[in-house]
Short mmCIF file of all heavy atoms in Angstrom, two decimals:
data_model
loop_
_atom_site.label_atom_id
_atom_site.label_comp_id
_atom_site.label_asym_id
_atom_site.label_seq_id
_atom_site.Cartn_x
_atom_site.Cartn_y
_atom_site.Cartn_z
N VAL Z 37 1.95 -4.38 3.93
CA VAL Z 37 2.83 -3.38 4.55
C VAL Z 37 2.00 -2.43 5.41
O VAL Z 37 2.39 -2.07 6.53
CB VAL Z 37 3.63 -2.61 3.48
CG1 VAL Z 37 4.35 -1.41 4.08
CG2 VAL Z 37 4.62 -3.54 2.79
N GLY Z 38 0.83 -2.03 4.93
CA GLY Z 38 -0.06 -1.19 5.72
C GLY Z 38 -0.53 -1.88 6.98
O GLY Z 38 -0.61 -1.26 8.06
N PHE Z 39 -0.82 -3.17 6.88
CA PHE Z 39 -1.23 -3.95 8.05
C PHE Z 39 -0.15 -3.93 9.12
O PHE Z 39 -0.42 -3.64 10.30
CB PHE Z 39 -1.52 -5.40 7.63
CG PHE Z 39 -1.81 -6.32 8.77
CD1 PHE Z 39 -3.09 -6.40 9.29
CD2 PHE Z 39 -0.82 -7.11 9.33
CE1 PHE Z 39 -3.37 -7.25 10.35
CE2 PHE Z 39 -1.08 -7.96 10.39
CZ PHE Z 39 -2.37 -8.02 10.90
N VAL Z 40 1.08 -4.19 8.72
CA VAL Z 40 2.19 -4.20 9.67
C VAL Z 40 2.38 -2.81 10.27
O VAL Z 40 2.56 -2.67 11.49
CB VAL Z 40 3.49 -4.70 8.99
CG1 VAL Z 40 4.69 -4.52 9.89
CG2 VAL Z 40 3.34 -6.15 8.56
N SER Z 41 2.32 -1.78 9.45
CA SER Z 41 2.49 -0.40 9.94
C SER Z 41 1.38 -0.03 10.92
O SER Z 41 1.65 0.60 11.95
CB SER Z 41 2.49 0.58 8.77
OG SER Z 41 3.57 0.34 7.92
N ALA Z 42 0.16 -0.39 10.59
CA ALA Z 42 -0.98 -0.07 11.46
C ALA Z 42 -0.86 -0.79 12.79
O ALA Z 42 -1.11 -0.21 13.86
CB ALA Z 42 -2.29 -0.42 10.77
N ARG Z 43 -0.47 -2.05 12.77
CA ARG Z 43 -0.31 -2.81 14.01
C ARG Z 43 0.80 -2.21 14.88
O ARG Z 43 0.66 -2.12 16.09
CB ARG Z 43 -0.01 -4.27 13.70
CG ARG Z 43 -1.11 -5.00 12.96
CD ARG Z 43 -2.29 -5.24 13.82
NE ARG Z 43 -1.87 -6.15 14.88
CZ ARG Z 43 -2.69 -6.71 15.74
NH1 ARG Z 43 -3.97 -6.47 15.67
NH2 ARG Z 43 -2.24 -7.51 16.68
N ARG Z 44 1.89 -1.80 14.25
CA ARG Z 44 2.99 -1.17 15.01
C ARG Z 44 2.57 0.15 15.62
O ARG Z 44 3.05 0.53 16.68
CB ARG Z 44 4.20 -0.95 14.10
CG ARG Z 44 4.95 -2.21 13.81
CD ARG Z 44 6.20 -1.92 13.02
NE ARG Z 44 6.90 -3.16 12.75
CZ ARG Z 44 7.79 -3.31 11.79
NH1 ARG Z 44 8.11 -2.29 10.99
NH2 ARG Z 44 8.38 -4.47 11.60
N ALA Z 45 1.65 0.85 14.94
CA ALA Z 45 1.16 2.13 15.45
C ALA Z 45 0.03 1.95 16.47
O ALA Z 45 -0.48 2.92 17.01
CB ALA Z 45 0.68 3.01 14.29
N GLY Z 46 -0.36 0.69 16.71
CA GLY Z 46 -1.44 0.41 17.65
C GLY Z 46 -2.82 0.69 17.11
O GLY Z 46 -3.77 0.88 17.87
N LEU Z 47 -2.95 0.71 15.80
CA LEU Z 47 -4.24 1.00 15.15
C LEU Z 47 -4.86 -0.30 14.63
O LEU Z 47 -4.84 -0.59 13.44
CB LEU Z 47 -4.04 2.00 14.01
CG LEU Z 47 -3.43 3.34 14.41
CD1 LEU Z 47 -3.11 4.17 13.18
CD2 LEU Z 47 -4.35 4.09 15.35
N ASP Z 48 -5.40 -1.08 15.55
CA ASP Z 48 -5.93 -2.40 15.20
C ASP Z 48 -7.04 -2.34 14.16
O ASP Z 48 -7.13 -3.20 13.29
CB ASP Z 48 -6.42 -3.13 16.44
CG ASP Z 48 -5.29 -3.50 17.38
OD1 ASP Z 48 -4.14 -3.59 16.92
OD2 ASP Z 48 -5.57 -3.70 18.58
N HIS Z 49 -7.90 -1.31 14.23
CA HIS Z 49 -8.99 -1.22 13.26
C HIS Z 49 -8.45 -1.04 11.84
O HIS Z 49 -8.99 -1.60 10.89
CB HIS Z 49 -9.98 -0.12 13.63
CG HIS Z 49 -9.37 1.25 13.71
ND1 HIS Z 49 -8.57 1.65 14.77
CD2 HIS Z 49 -9.45 2.31 12.87
CE1 HIS Z 49 -8.18 2.89 14.57
NE2 HIS Z 49 -8.70 3.33 13.42
N TRP Z 50 -7.36 -0.28 11.69
CA TRP Z 50 -6.77 -0.15 10.36
C TRP Z 50 -6.09 -1.45 9.94
O TRP Z 50 -6.02 -1.77 8.76
CB TRP Z 50 -5.80 1.04 10.29
CG TRP Z 50 -6.54 2.31 10.08
CD1 TRP Z 50 -6.76 3.29 10.98
CD2 TRP Z 50 -7.19 2.72 8.87
NE1 TRP Z 50 -7.52 4.29 10.42
CE2 TRP Z 50 -7.79 3.96 9.12
CE3 TRP Z 50 -7.34 2.15 7.61
CZ2 TRP Z 50 -8.52 4.65 8.16
CZ3 TRP Z 50 -8.07 2.84 6.65
CH2 TRP Z 50 -8.65 4.07 6.92
N GLY Z 51 -5.59 -2.19 10.91
CA GLY Z 51 -5.05 -3.51 10.59
C GLY Z 51 -6.10 -4.40 9.95
O GLY Z 51 -5.83 -5.10 8.97
N TRP Z 52 -7.31 -4.36 10.48
CA TRP Z 52 -8.41 -5.13 9.90
C TRP Z 52 -8.74 -4.66 8.48
O TRP Z 52 -8.98 -5.46 7.59
CB TRP Z 52 -9.65 -5.04 10.79
CG TRP Z 52 -9.59 -5.96 11.95
CD1 TRP Z 52 -9.27 -5.65 13.24
CD2 TRP Z 52 -9.85 -7.36 11.93
NE1 TRP Z 52 -9.30 -6.77 14.01
CE2 TRP Z 52 -9.67 -7.83 13.24
CE3 TRP Z 52 -10.22 -8.26 10.93
CZ2 TRP Z 52 -9.84 -9.17 13.58
CZ3 TRP Z 52 -10.39 -9.59 11.28
CH2 TRP Z 52 -10.21 -10.03 12.58
N VAL Z 53 -8.77 -3.35 8.30
CA VAL Z 53 -9.08 -2.79 6.97
C VAL Z 53 -8.03 -3.27 5.96
O VAL Z 53 -8.38 -3.75 4.87
CB VAL Z 53 -9.13 -1.25 7.01
CG1 VAL Z 53 -9.20 -0.66 5.61
CG2 VAL Z 53 -10.31 -0.79 7.86
N TYR Z 54 -6.76 -3.15 6.32
CA TYR Z 54 -5.69 -3.61 5.43
C TYR Z 54 -5.77 -5.12 5.20
O TYR Z 54 -5.50 -5.60 4.10
CB TYR Z 54 -4.33 -3.24 5.99
CG TYR Z 54 -3.95 -1.81 5.82
CD1 TYR Z 54 -3.64 -1.01 6.91
CD2 TYR Z 54 -3.87 -1.23 4.56
CE1 TYR Z 54 -3.28 0.31 6.76
CE2 TYR Z 54 -3.51 0.09 4.39
CZ TYR Z 54 -3.21 0.86 5.49
OH TYR Z 54 -2.85 2.17 5.32
N GLY Z 55 -6.16 -5.86 6.23
CA GLY Z 55 -6.30 -7.31 6.08
C GLY Z 55 -7.36 -7.68 5.06
O GLY Z 55 -7.17 -8.58 4.24
N VAL Z 56 -8.47 -6.97 5.10
CA VAL Z 56 -9.55 -7.23 4.12
C VAL Z 56 -9.07 -6.90 2.71
O VAL Z 56 -9.32 -7.66 1.76
CB VAL Z 56 -10.82 -6.44 4.49
CG1 VAL Z 56 -11.84 -6.47 3.36
CG2 VAL Z 56 -11.42 -6.97 5.78
N ILE Z 57 -8.37 -5.78 2.56
CA ILE Z 57 -7.84 -5.42 1.24
C ILE Z 57 -6.88 -6.50 0.74
O ILE Z 57 -6.94 -6.90 -0.42
CB ILE Z 57 -7.15 -4.03 1.28
CG1 ILE Z 57 -8.18 -2.93 1.54
CG2 ILE Z 57 -6.40 -3.76 -0.04
CD1 ILE Z 57 -7.57 -1.56 1.82
N ALA Z 58 -6.01 -6.98 1.62
CA ALA Z 58 -5.06 -8.03 1.24
C ALA Z 58 -5.78 -9.30 0.79
O ALA Z 58 -5.38 -9.92 -0.20
CB ALA Z 58 -4.11 -8.33 2.39
N VAL Z 59 -6.85 -9.66 1.47
CA VAL Z 59 -7.61 -10.86 1.09
C VAL Z 59 -8.28 -10.67 -0.26
O VAL Z 59 -8.24 -11.55 -1.13
CB VAL Z 59 -8.65 -11.22 2.18
CG1 VAL Z 59 -9.63 -12.26 1.68
CG2 VAL Z 59 -7.95 -11.71 3.43
N VAL Z 60 -8.89 -9.51 -0.48
CA VAL Z 60 -9.60 -9.26 -1.74
C VAL Z 60 -8.64 -9.25 -2.93
O VAL Z 60 -8.97 -9.76 -4.01
CB VAL Z 60 -10.39 -7.93 -1.67
CG1 VAL Z 60 -10.92 -7.52 -3.03
CG2 VAL Z 60 -11.52 -8.05 -0.67
N TYR Z 61 -7.44 -8.71 -2.74
CA TYR Z 61 -6.49 -8.57 -3.84
C TYR Z 61 -5.41 -9.65 -3.87
O TYR Z 61 -4.50 -9.57 -4.69
CB TYR Z 61 -5.83 -7.19 -3.79
CG TYR Z 61 -6.75 -6.09 -4.26
CD1 TYR Z 61 -7.54 -5.40 -3.37
CD2 TYR Z 61 -6.85 -5.77 -5.61
CE1 TYR Z 61 -8.39 -4.40 -3.79
CE2 TYR Z 61 -7.70 -4.76 -6.04
CZ TYR Z 61 -8.46 -4.08 -5.13
OH TYR Z 61 -9.31 -3.09 -5.56
N ASN Z 62 -5.49 -10.65 -3.00
CA ASN Z 62 -4.41 -11.64 -2.96
C ASN Z 62 -4.32 -12.40 -4.28
O ASN Z 62 -5.32 -12.76 -4.88
CB ASN Z 62 -4.60 -12.58 -1.76
CG ASN Z 62 -5.49 -13.75 -2.08
OD1 ASN Z 62 -5.04 -14.72 -2.65
ND2 ASN Z 62 -6.77 -13.62 -1.73
N PRO Z 63 -3.09 -12.62 -4.76
CA PRO Z 63 -2.91 -13.29 -6.05
C PRO Z 63 -2.95 -14.81 -5.97
O PRO Z 63 -3.05 -15.48 -6.99
CB PRO Z 63 -1.52 -12.81 -6.50
CG PRO Z 63 -0.80 -12.54 -5.22
CD PRO Z 63 -1.84 -12.07 -4.24
N ILE Z 64 -2.90 -15.38 -4.77
CA ILE Z 64 -2.84 -16.83 -4.62
C ILE Z 64 -4.22 -17.46 -4.74
O ILE Z 64 -4.39 -18.47 -5.44
CB ILE Z 64 -2.16 -17.20 -3.29
CG1 ILE Z 64 -0.71 -16.70 -3.31
CG2 ILE Z 64 -2.21 -18.70 -3.04
CD1 ILE Z 64 -0.02 -16.74 -1.98
N ALA Z 65 -5.20 -16.91 -4.05
CA ALA Z 65 -6.58 -17.39 -4.12
C ALA Z 65 -7.45 -16.18 -4.49
O ALA Z 65 -8.12 -15.59 -3.65
CB ALA Z 65 -7.01 -17.98 -2.79
#
Side-chain angles (χ1 to χ4, degrees):
V37 170
F39 174 84
V40 172
S41 297
R43 297 289 295 189
R44 285 185 180 160
L47 302 172
D48 292 338
H49 59 285
W50 278 107
W52 280 101
V53 170
Y54 283 122
V56 169
I57 293 171
V59 168
V60 170
Y61 285 92
N62 86 83
I64 297 168

